[in-house]
Amino acid sequence: MNTPKILAPAGDTDSFIAALAAGADAVYCGLKIFSARMEADNFSIEELSRLTRLAHSNKVDVYVAFNSLVKDDELEKVFNILQKLCKYVDPDALIIQDLSLIPLALQAGFKKEFHLSTLGNCTSPAGLEYAETL
């Protein structure tokens, strides 16, 4: 039987810590760039690395919302950020908007879950090509 998870949003350090204290099973948050949650303070890689270690020590998953439109001229920057996420943060899932991020994240070394954002779509040729493979 699948037990539902309590997934809490965190837009800053205080709300992240509050989610852990309240017993969330998972926390989702965004980076300072490439996140649709731009009204939140969001996190740097360094901040998220520390908080993810804390969450994992409490058996709480961390999902990173990487759910904004990515333009072709931003792909190298996105790839570099994904590599840093894999190396320093090790999130349990990526919440993505465009399917083109799946092969890019896999290439960067991400080996965990992908979740399609409620904003999910295919806006790039690479996203459409990947959708054809599904």
Side-chain angles (χ1 to χ4, degrees), residues 35-128:
S35 170
R37 305 185 74 235
M38 298 311 292
E39 303 243 346
D41 288 341
N42 292 321
F43 300 92
S44 68
I45 295 284
E46 295 79 17
E47 292 169 315
L48 196 52
S49 177
R50 287 190 308 273
L51 290 168
T52 300
R53 283 195 305 274
L54 177 62
H56 286 167
S57 72
N58 287 286
K59 297 183 177 29
V60 175
D61 290 341
V62 176
Y63 300 171
V64 175
F66 210 102
N67 59 341
S68 65
L69 296 175
V70 176
K71 300 176 186 128
D72 285 340
D73 64 343
E74 297 172 319
L75 290 176
E76 185 175 340
K77 185 175 187 175
V78 168
F79 180 73
N80 290 334
I81 292 168
L82 288 167
Q83 283 185 311
K84 288 178 183 177
L85 267 177
C86 293
K87 183 175 182 177
Y88 299 112
V89 177
D90 193 28
D92 299 286
L94 291 178
I95 302 170
I96 60 165
Q97 179 173 351
D98 192 315
L99 294 176
S100 67
L101 285 183
I102 294 174
L104 200 60
L106 292 172
Q107 184 182 355
F110 186 73
K111 293 179 173 66
K112 296 187 180 173
E113 295 180 359
F114 292 96
H115 297 254
L116 189 60
S117 168
T118 57
L119 303 171
N121 62 62
C122 291
T123 57
S124 67
L128 292 171

